[in-house]
Amino acid sequence: MASEIINRNSEIGNRIVCTVTNALTYDQRMQRICTSLAKNGYEVLLVGRHMENEKPLDTLIFNQLRLPNIFQKGFLFYAEHNLRLFFFLLFKKYDILCTIDLDTMPGGCLAAMVRGKRRVFDAHEYFTEVPEIVDRPFVKGFWAAIDRFFTPKYHLHYTVGDGLAEIFSKKYGKKFHTIRSVPFRREISKIQNPASSVQHSKSKFILYQGALNEGRGLEIAIYAMEDLPLEIELWIAGEGDLSDYLRALAADSPARDRIKFLGFVKPADLKQITDAAWLGYSLLENRGLSYYFSLVNKFFDYVQAGVPVLSSDFPEYQKLNEQHRVAFLVEGFSAKDVVAAVQHILNSPEEYEKMKANCRAAAADWNWENEEKKLIDLWAF
C-alpha cells in the first residue's frame, strides 16, 4: 500500500505539514492520523503551538514542532500564530498542507497558495457553530469570512461525521468525506484490571475526558453530584477555558470530595483511567450545529474500553446506538436529567451489563484500523 501511495503522489511529493493550534501532546486524533500517514510512506510534520508549562514532546514516528507565541489566547493569539505560521510555511520544504479547522487556515492556506502547494482541509468541527463563537456575531462573522474565502480553495476535504460531511458538501459545493475520530482497536480481554491500573476507592466513577469548554455539560454534572449516591464520583480529565470556573464550582459543592480534576493526562495514562471508569460522560448542549452533529472522540474511547456512555440524544449518536446499543441517550440538558439517567443505570444492572457486552461488539467495528484504510485511500488524491 505504501509504495502505491508514493507512486500515485510521485509528481506531487510526499512531504506533509499538518497545522493545529492545540497542545500536540494530547491531540489523539492528530497522533493517529499522522502516524497512519507516516506508516504509509509520507514524511509528516505536525505543527502546533507552544503553551506554558508544557511537557516535552514524545518521540513518535512523525515529526512535531511547537511554534512560539507571546500571546496565549484571544484575537492577538490567533493573529500572531497565523503570522508565524505564514512565514514558516513560506520557507519550509513541503509538498502538501493539511489544515485542521479554521484557526490555522488564514496563515496556512495563504502560504500554500502563494507557493502553489496542494491543500487538504480536515474539519474536526463546525467551527463557526461552536458555543464559544455562535452567540458572538462579530467573531462569528470574522471566521465565517475566512471560511468562505479559503475552504473552497482546498483540493481534498474531510470531516468527523456523515452529518457534518453532508452539510459542508452542500455549503461549499465540494465533496466532504468522513474520517471518524475512533481509537485503535483494543482487545477487551487484554485491558488491564482497573484495580491495578488506577488507584481509587471502591466507588463507581463517571469519567469526562476532553476540553473543559462551554456547552459540554460539565457544570450540570457537578450540580448533579449533589443528588447522586455517595458511591458515585466524577472524574474530569482535561483543561480548557472553564478550568478555573469549574474548579471553583466544585469547591463550593457539597459533593466536593467526590469530584476530581485530573488536569491534562497523556493518552497512555488516560487509557488506564478510562478502563477503570463505570460510565463515560459525553453530554453536549444543543448550542449550534457543531455540537448537534458532533461525533466526538471520547464517545469511541469509552466504547473501546468497554465502558457504556451517557450521551446526548443527537442524530449521530442515535445512528451509532442503532448499530450497537452502547449509550444511554439523554434528551434534556440539566442536572435533573443527569441524576435521573444515572439513577436509572444504577437500578438496571442487567441493562448496564448488556451495554458493556455491546461495547465489545462495537469495538470491533469502530476502530482506527478500519478508518485508517479510508484515510489512506483519500490521501492518494
Side-chain angles (χ1 to χ4, degrees):
M1 176 64 76
S3 60
E4 179 186 5
I5 292 168
I6 293 173
N7 288 337
R8 287 184 186 177
N9 291 278
S10 59
E11 294 182 2
I12 301 171
N14 70 333
R15 294 169 298 186
I16 302 169
V17 175
C18 300
T19 62
V20 297
T21 60
N22 47 294
L24 301 186
T25 306
Y26 309 102
D27 193 333
Q28 297 187 63
R29 176 175 168 87
M30 288 313 300
Q31 289 183 11
R32 285 190 291 266
I33 287 176
C34 292
T35 295
S36 295
L37 291 172
K39 282 167 44 183
N40 283 272
Y42 293 92
E43 182 182 322
V44 183
L45 171 64
L46 177 60
V47 178
R49 65 184 293 188
H50 186 274
M51 301 178 70
E52 296 176 350
N53 304 316
E54 276 192 307
K55 297 178 180 179
L57 290 168
D58 293 328
T59 300
L60 301 172
I61 191 174
F62 57 90
N63 296 313
Q64 303 172 83
L65 175 69
R66 292 166 170 161
L67 293 180
N69 290 287
I70 297 172
F71 303 100
Q72 290 295 316
K73 60 182 179 180
F75 175 79
L76 291 177
F77 160 71
Y78 290 110
E80 178 194 7
H81 188 81
N82 275 277
L83 189 61
R84 290 180 183 274
L85 185 62
F86 173 78
F87 284 107
F88 173 77
L89 292 173
L90 207 55
F91 300 101
K92 175 69 179 176
K93 288 184 178 181
Y94 66 99
D95 303 297
I96 307 171
L97 169 72
C98 181
T99 298
I100 315 305
D101 292 323
L102 301 187
D103 44 2
T104 61
M105 185 175 279
C109 189
L110 189 58
M113 289 170 61
V114 168
R115 297 187 60 189
K117 302 298 184 181
R118 299 282 281 178
R119 299 175 293 279
V120 175
F121 181 42
D122 178 356
H124 289 192
E125 59 191 356
Y126 197 158
F127 195 88
T128 56
E129 288 286 327
V130 298
E132 295 87 351
I133 291 178
V134 70
D135 296 324
R136 300 167 66 190
F138 178 79
V139 175
K140 180 177 179 178
F142 171 81
W143 287 112
I146 296 294
D147 186 17
R148 285 193 302 271
F149 182 78
F150 285 110
T151 298
K153 301 185 185 305
Y154 285 79
H155 303 95
L156 172 66
H157 305 75
Y158 54 87
T159 187
V160 293
D162 291 339
L164 288 181
E166 183 177 350
I167 290 172
F168 292 157
S169 294
K170 291 179 180 178
K171 180 177 180 180
Y172 304 107
K174 300 280 186 177
K175 173 64 176 177
F176 269 76
H177 304 271
T178 298
I179 299 295
R180 296 186 298 186
S181 192
V182 292
F184 286 104
R185 179 78 169 97
R186 302 178 67 199
E187 292 294 336
I188 299 293
S189 61
K190 294 181 180 179
I191 291 178
Q192 297 185 39
N193 186 316
S196 65
S197 61
V198 179
Q199 295 298 320
H200 61 87
S201 66
K202 294 181 179 179
S203 300
K204 297 179 171 71
F205 71 89
I206 301 169
L207 175 66
Y208 171 86
Q209 54 174 272
L212 310 191
N213 291 339
E214 291 182 41
R216 305 199 178 193
L218 294 166
E219 301 98 319
I220 65 175
I222 291 172
Y223 286 128
M225 288 299 297
E226 299 178 22
D227 297 315
L228 289 175
L230 296 178
E231 64 178 308
I232 301 297
E233 293 182 356
L234 174 64
W235 291 26
I236 299 173
E239 298 289 358
D241 296 339
L242 300 185
S243 291
D244 293 339
Y245 166 70
L246 293 172
R247 283 179 168 84
L249 194 66
D252 290 336
S253 169
R256 68 179 69 87
D257 294 335
R258 295 185 288 122
I259 303 171
K260 300 183 180 181
F261 288 85
L262 309 182
F264 281 125
V265 181
K266 285 191 172 184
D269 297 328
L270 187 57
K271 285 180 182 178
Q272 293 190 20
I273 295 169
T274 307
D275 295 347
W278 173 67
L279 190 68
Y281 189 82
S282 183
L283 220 58
L284 295 169
E285 186 176 5
N286 188 3
R287 287 180 58 192
L289 296 177
S290 186
Y291 277 10
Y292 186 67
F293 286 104
S294 69
L295 203 51
V296 295
N297 308 23
K298 64 177 71 68
F299 184 97
F300 296 108
D301 291 333
Y302 299 141
V303 171
Q304 197 61 230
V307 178
V309 189
L310 189 66
S311 176
S312 300
D313 191 19
F314 290 168
E316 295 293 343
Y317 306 108
Q318 293 170 5
K319 293 176 186 176
L320 291 175
N321 238 24
E322 289 172 1
Q323 297 174 34
H324 300 283
R325 189 165 180 266
V326 297
F328 297 90
L329 300 180
V330 180
E331 291 186 8
F333 189 79
S334 70
K336 187 178 294 186
D337 293 315
V338 173
V339 171
V342 173
Q343 290 285 13
H344 169 78
I345 298 167
L346 286 169
N347 296 330
S348 309
E350 291 185 3
E351 183 181 2
Y352 175 81
E353 290 302 321
K354 175 62 176 175
M355 283 200 174
K356 285 183 68 71
N358 292 343
C359 286
R360 298 185 183 97
D365 294 336
W366 307 337
N367 58 69
W368 186 248
E369 284 79 358
N370 290 336
E371 212 70 14
E372 179 185 56
K373 299 170 186 175
K374 304 175 191 175
L375 176 79
I376 299 306
D377 285 344
L378 282 183
W379 271 84
F381 67 101

